[in-house]
């Protein structure tokens, strides 16, 4: 969801600390931690907090879980101290998820932790206090549109029929607003309200709720999922990470899981490794996107050990490399590197190595002078820098001689201290491996007027290429003439979650042209593609005769009708053939 227009003068002030934070701690905790993925002996594949929906549990039956909710091992200080140790900089917890149960003292409702459980304590009060002591900004997740407990809320199709607008409006007035008022008055300063799944909320409702929050706490950030693009920042899909840059203005965040579920599930052992989690953090930071990483505590109030060890390990990496994450902005380059990612801060450029270069690394297109370098965590490492620019091709070349021995630590980071803010050539140029990446956000879009055309989606992919008369092109710079294999990176987005190929496209540079049917057989396996898959579709070879600036034209010959969003792709790459 794109962020609100910056007419809102409070926006920049509200968002400053949040954009610097880059890494947040998310907690999904509620009654669903009791069934933990199983209902009446049956295991449900889907995310744990959805069990009421997955098993179509009637309200009266689900309500009975409350009598069992007694998290005697809950320790607010322990949770907040883990969040600190992990290196996260804000804390967000479910105050009410889609099941409608309030995990806080809600005077306006009986379906809350004080009235309906034997626990007798308000965990939100304890967490707010622990966060205040730890100087950790504290925020609430609140499901504003889906509420499976109420006939006026959305989503419960097994007990209720779809509510009328009038009924939904009454639910907003009688449940949502009173509870938001409670959340914003009972717990001191609230950093953020994390709204979710707006569904068919009308724009007027989104705007009204946002103003309602700000009328009580003007500095409270409102998440993008309040709907209708009126949030303070944009929210990508759950676990979604775009390839290349987003190419969209504003502040962004991706909520993400350590395993597959959000709410605790006994059987979900699909834990990501520390290494993968750090890659995701770095990948997002390199695109200027916050990472809100979730834990799902048990019904007893314990954060699973597998989560704790990973978060602690991330914290250890951040202790050494945190300056390359906190307070940084995304890479000055509009595409990714095969060896890793970049972030920047002031005059510093940080190179995060997913693969350690064997002795030598070359970066093209950086216009700055490098004044000095520092390998984080190893101040004595000798790095030799050479810079020149090729007048024939106009390309700036930076060569780094790097120790062959890979430093310890999950992802080594090299800081370059520059003569000014990083200034990178925006035109795609060949990088170290000779590959030229043409990313979706840099494409020039050629839509025939009057048709719904190709557009850059919120995931950094091009979508809605459904008309053969439309097309795209890129400019880019060639340094070494020759043959290039062309690959189209097919991708998925929030509107088209299934990878679809079968389109026939033609690609041309100058007089050289190739036509191919794109298939999805070569999946790209990476930390990023687990939930939003990508495939590298081979699309022939092009001969580029001269060095210098060229234009690649991409046209559609036929578009697979099964693809409702048309050809969805995130980049075209040109890979030199037969050179080494
Ligand atoms: O709170 C977490 C999720 O519960 C919530 N967002 C994150 C932060 C979320 N709500 N909706 N969704 C995510 C999309 C849900 C998709 C699915 Fe399903 C739920 C897929 C399987 C279960 C809905 C029901 C679609 C298919 C069945």
């Amino acid at each position: 969801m794109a962020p609100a227009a910056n007419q809102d003068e409070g926006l920049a002030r509200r968002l400053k600390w949040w954009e610097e934070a880059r890494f947040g701690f998310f907690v999904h905790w509620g009654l669903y931690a009791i069934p933990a993925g199983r209902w009446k002996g049956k295991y449900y594949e889907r995310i744990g907090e959805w069990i009421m929906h997955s098993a179509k549990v009637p309200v009266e039956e689900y309500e009975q879980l409350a009598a069992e909710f007694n998290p005697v091992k809950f320790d607010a200080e322990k949770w907040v101290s883990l969040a600190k140790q992990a290196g996260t900089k804000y804390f967000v917890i479910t105050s009410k998820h889609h099941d409608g149960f309030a995990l806080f003292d809600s005077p306006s409702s009986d379906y809350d932790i004080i009235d309906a459980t034997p626990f007798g304590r308000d965990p939100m009060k304890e967490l707010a206090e622990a966060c205040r002591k730890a100087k950790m900004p504290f925020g609430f997740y609140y499901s504003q549109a889906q509420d499976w407990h109420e006939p006026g809320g959305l989503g419960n199709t097994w007990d209720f029929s779809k509510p009328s607008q009038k009924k939904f409006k009454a639910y907003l007035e009688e449940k949502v607003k009173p509870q938001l008022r409670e959340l914003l008055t009972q717990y001191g300063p609230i950093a953020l309200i994390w709204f979710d799944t707006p569904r068919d909320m009308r724009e007027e409702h989104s705007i009204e709720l946002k103003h309602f929050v700000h009328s009580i706490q003007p500095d409270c950030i409102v998440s993008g999922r309040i709907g209708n693009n009126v949030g303070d920042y944009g929210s990508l899909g759950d676990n979604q990470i775009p390839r290349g840059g987003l190419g969209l203005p504003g502040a962004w965040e991706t909520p993400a899981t350590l395993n597959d579920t959000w709410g605790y599930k006994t059987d979900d052992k699909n834990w990501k490794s520390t290494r993968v989690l750090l890659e995701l953090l770095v990948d997002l930071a390199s695109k200027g996107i916050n990472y809100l990483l979730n834990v799902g505590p048990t019904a007893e109030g314990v954060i699973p050990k597998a989560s704790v060890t990973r978060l602690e390990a991330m914290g250890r990496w951040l202790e050494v490399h945190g300056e390359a994450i906190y307070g940084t902005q995304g890479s000055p380059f509009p595409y990714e590197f095969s060896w890793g990612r970049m972030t920047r801060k002031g005059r510093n450029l940080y190179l995060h190595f997913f693969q350690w270069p064997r002795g030598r690394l070359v970066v093209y297109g950086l216009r700055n002078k490098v004044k000095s370098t520092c390998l984080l965590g190893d101040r004595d490492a000798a790095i030799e820098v050479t810079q020149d620019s090729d007048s024939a091709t106009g390309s700036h070349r930076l060569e780094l001689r790097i120790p062959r021995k890979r430093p310890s630590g999950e992802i080594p980071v090299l800081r370059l201290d520059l003569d000014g803010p990083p200034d990178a050539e925006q035109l795609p140029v060949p990088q170290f491996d000779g590959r030229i990446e043409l990313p979706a956000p840099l494409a020039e879009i050629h839509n025939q007027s009057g048709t719904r055309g190709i557009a850059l989606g919120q995931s950094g992919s091009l979508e809605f290429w459904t008309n053969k008369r439309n097309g795209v092109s890129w400019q880019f710079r060639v340094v070494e003439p020759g043959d290039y294999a062309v690959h189209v990176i097919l991708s998925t987005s929030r509107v088209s979650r299934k990878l679809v190929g079968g389109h026939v496209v033609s690609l041309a540079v100058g007089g050289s042209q190739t036509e191919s049917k794109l298939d999805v057989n070569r999946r790209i396996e990476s930390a990023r593609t687990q939930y939003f898959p990508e495939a590298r579709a081979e699309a022939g070879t092009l001969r580029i005769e001269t060095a210098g600036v060229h234009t690649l034209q991409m046209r559609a010959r036929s578009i697979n009708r099964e693809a409702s969003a048309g050809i969805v792709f995130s980049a075209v790459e040109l890979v030199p053939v037969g050179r080494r």
Side-chain angles (χ1 to χ4, degrees), residues 28 46 49-50 53 97-98 141 196-197 225 238 262:
H28 273 66
R46 291 167 173 176
E49 70 286 3
W50 272 68
H53 188 281
H97 202 264
H98 307 333
Y141 172 109
D196 197 6
T197 59
R225 295 194 189 177
D238 294 352
W262 302 82

Side-chain angles (χ1 to χ4, degrees), residues 494-509:
R494 279 164 94 172
V495 291
S496 63
R497 287 187 156 252
K498 197 168 157 262
L499 208 47
V500 185
H503 321 290
V504 179
V505 298
S506 86
L507 296 127
V509 175

Side-chain angles (χ1 to χ4, degrees), residues 210-369:
K210 173 177 150 151
H211 287 161
F212 182 78
V213 169
H214 289 150
S215 72
I216 305 170
Q217 291 207 26
D219 287 335
C220 179
I221 297 170
V222 169
S223 83
R225 295 194 189 177
I226 195 166
N228 299 292
N229 297 343
V230 309
D232 286 335
Y233 66 83
S235 183
L236 287 153
D238 294 352
N239 282 305
Q240 187 175 35
I241 294 164
R243 184 188 176 95
L246 258 182
L248 297 166
W252 294 86
E253 176 185 63
T254 292
T257 52
L258 281 161
N259 44 356
D260 291 325
T261 187
W262 302 82
Y264 178 70
K265 261 180 100 174
T266 328
D267 299 290
D268 184 345
K269 303 269 186 342
N270 193 23
W271 302 100
K272 294 166 189 69
S273 67
T274 301
R275 157 78 198 212
V276 163
L277 294 164
L278 286 170
E279 267 192 31
L280 297 174
L281 170 67
V282 167
D283 198 354
L284 285 165
S286 80
K287 291 149 191 171
I289 303 167
N290 280 14
Y291 187 34
L292 182 61
L293 186 55
N294 182 72
V295 298
T298 66
E300 284 194 304
V302 177
I303 297 176
K305 183 91 183 95
S307 302
V308 174
T309 53
R310 283 159 180 80
L311 288 163
E312 285 174 349
M314 292 180 83
R316 285 194 292 275
W317 182 84
L318 279 160
E319 249 169 52
V320 178
H321 305 92
E323 69 160 281
I325 300 289
Y326 306 125
T328 62
Q329 293 172 290
S331 170
F333 288 86
Y335 45 81
E336 298 172 357
F337 297 90
S338 54
W339 48 261
R341 301 288 184 271
M342 289 186 187
T343 56
R344 69 179 147 155
K345 177 158 58 183
R347 297 179 169 212
N348 294 339
L349 185 62
Y350 298 95
L351 279 56
H352 302 248
F353 292 101
F354 292 174
Q355 284 164 41
W356 186 245
R358 316 200 80 244
R360 198 174 78 99
L361 177 78
V362 180
V363 175
Y364 293 94
L366 183 68
R367 297 193 180 105
N368 304 83
K369 272 255 148 305

